[in-house]
């Protein structure tokens, strides 16, 4: 049951979205997200909006949509990874949420890099993240840095057939 009428241009695509995994940017209270298929995710900068979505049983995470490109990585198993932050008192930690099927898992990065711009899953299943002067790899258990860092902002990552990484 919906709490808003389907009208306007969204009414034209609602049936197409019901069985599709969607990332709703600026999901607000989940008014449109509720019509999207299983495994969909809402992103919003406002904690209140994320809480409202979660209270309705929708998957939503807090993310500043002004930081582009959005660092969301599709995974080989049909899921996706979304970065964000978790806070405990005055401590801020970079946290990643991984969606696989109907469940979420989280893992933390020891840094608090403010400009995380790229997230990519490699063929071996590891996850590489890049940002301001940062390039790190998550192997499912631990983080490791590539060298002593990058001399600027990582804008794109590409894995070559031999496993080498182009930055």
């Amino acid at each position: 049951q919906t709490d808003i009428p389907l009208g306007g241009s969204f009414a034209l695509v609602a049936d197409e979205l019901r069985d599709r995994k969607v990332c709703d940017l600026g999901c607000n209270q989940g008014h449109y997200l509720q019509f999207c298929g299983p495994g969909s995710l809402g992103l919003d900068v406002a904690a209140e909006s994320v809480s409202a979505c979660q209270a309705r049983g929708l998957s939503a995470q807090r993310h500043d949509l002004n930081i582009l490109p959005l660092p969301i990585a599709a995974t080989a198993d049909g899921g996706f990874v979304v970065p964000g932050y978790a806070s405990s008192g005055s401590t801020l930690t970079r946290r990643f949420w991984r969606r696989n099927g109907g469940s979420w898992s989280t893992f933390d990065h020891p840094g608090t890099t403010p400009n995380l711009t790229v997230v990519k899953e490699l063929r071996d299943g590891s996850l590489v993240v890049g940002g301001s002067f940062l390039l790190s790899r998550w192997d499912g258990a631990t983080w490791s840095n590539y060298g002593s860092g990058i001399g600027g902002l990582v804008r794109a990552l590409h894995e070559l057939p031999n496993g080498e990484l182009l930055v």
Side-chain angles (χ1 to χ4, degrees):
Q1 176 168 324
T2 68
D3 57 356
I4 62 166
L6 279 179
S9 59
F10 187 77
L12 299 174
V13 297
D15 286 338
E16 291 293 320
L17 300 178
R18 286 188 201 282
D19 297 324
R20 296 181 190 230
K21 188 184 312 182
V22 173
C23 184
D24 184 357
L25 306 178
C27 62
N28 199 324
Q29 307 286 310
H31 298 301
Y32 297 126
L33 185 59
Q34 67 183 329
F35 294 103
C36 300
S40 292
L41 172 71
L43 297 178
D44 203 285
V45 71
E48 301 81 24
S49 294
V50 170
S51 294
C53 287
Q54 292 171 343
R56 298 172 76 182
L58 302 170
S59 296
Q61 298 296 329
R62 190 169 180 197
H63 183 79
D64 184 350
L65 300 176
N66 293 308
I67 299 174
L68 297 174
L70 293 175
I72 300 172
T75 59
D77 59 12
F80 50 87
V81 176
V82 179
Y85 287 101
S87 61
S88 175
S90 62
T91 304
L92 189 65
T93 303
R94 172 65 76 179
R95 175 159 292 164
F96 292 85
W97 287 266
R98 183 181 194 120
R99 179 79 174 187
N100 181 357
S103 64
W104 286 96
S105 59
T106 62
F107 52 97
D108 294 344
H109 186 279
T112 57
T113 304
N115 290 332
L116 187 64
T117 54
V118 179
V119 179
K120 179 169 182 56
E121 184 182 54
L122 302 180
R123 285 188 296 278
D124 67 4
S126 64
L127 188 71
V128 175
V129 299
S132 295
F133 305 99
L134 167 80
L135 190 60
S136 295
R137 179 178 170 266
W138 170 256
D139 65 8
T142 59
W143 285 99
S144 58
N145 289 328
Y146 284 90
S148 59
I150 302 296
L153 181 65
V154 177
R155 298 207 181 268
L157 296 171
H158 179 73
E159 184 180 17
L160 295 175
N162 67 1
E164 289 184 33
L165 196 60
L166 294 178
V167 180

